[in-house]
């Protein structure tokens, strides 16, 4: 199984992020979008909002999952 991990803050997710993930779908069995959360950084959107945005963006793709990390 080929797994890709795409880390970032995704604050917010952009069309460039989306394009990169969509172009990677044929290359990997699973793509994990890993949302970094730094308590010392001020974000435009909350972690929950960022997770929801990404899940909504890729809801049609079972290969794409979302996880957060600190």
């Amino acid at each position: 199984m080929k797994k890709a991990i795409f880390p970032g803050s995704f604050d917010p997710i952009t069309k460039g992020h989306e394009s990169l993930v969509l172009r990677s779908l044929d290359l990997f069995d699973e793509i994990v979008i890993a949302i970094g959360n730094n308590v010392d950084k001020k974000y435009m959107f909350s972690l929950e909002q960022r997770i929801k945005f990404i899940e909504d963006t890729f809801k049609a793709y079972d290969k794409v999952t979302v996880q957060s990390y600190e």
Side-chain angles (χ1 to χ4, degrees):
M1 175 185 227
K2 291 183 189 177
K3 183 186 277 191
I5 299 175
F6 185 13
S9 63
F10 303 100
D11 187 38
I13 188 167
T14 65
K15 289 292 185 182
H17 295 130
E18 182 180 2
S19 174
L20 186 63
V21 171
L22 293 177
R23 289 182 289 135
S24 300
L25 287 171
D26 290 335
L27 301 173
F28 299 99
D29 300 310
E30 181 181 1
I31 300 171
V32 178
I33 299 176
I35 303 174
N37 194 41
N38 180 343
V39 294
D40 295 328
K41 184 176 175 184
K42 291 189 178 197
Y43 293 102
M44 187 181 325
F45 298 101
S46 71
L47 177 61
E48 293 77 19
Q49 288 174 311
R50 292 181 280 155
I51 290 171
K52 176 96 170 89
F53 294 154
I54 294 170
E55 288 175 342
D56 289 348
T57 299
F58 298 107
K59 65 184 169 197
Y61 303 97
D62 293 336
K63 289 183 176 185
V64 179
T65 60
V66 182
Q67 295 181 5
S68 64
Y69 69 93
E70 290 187 15

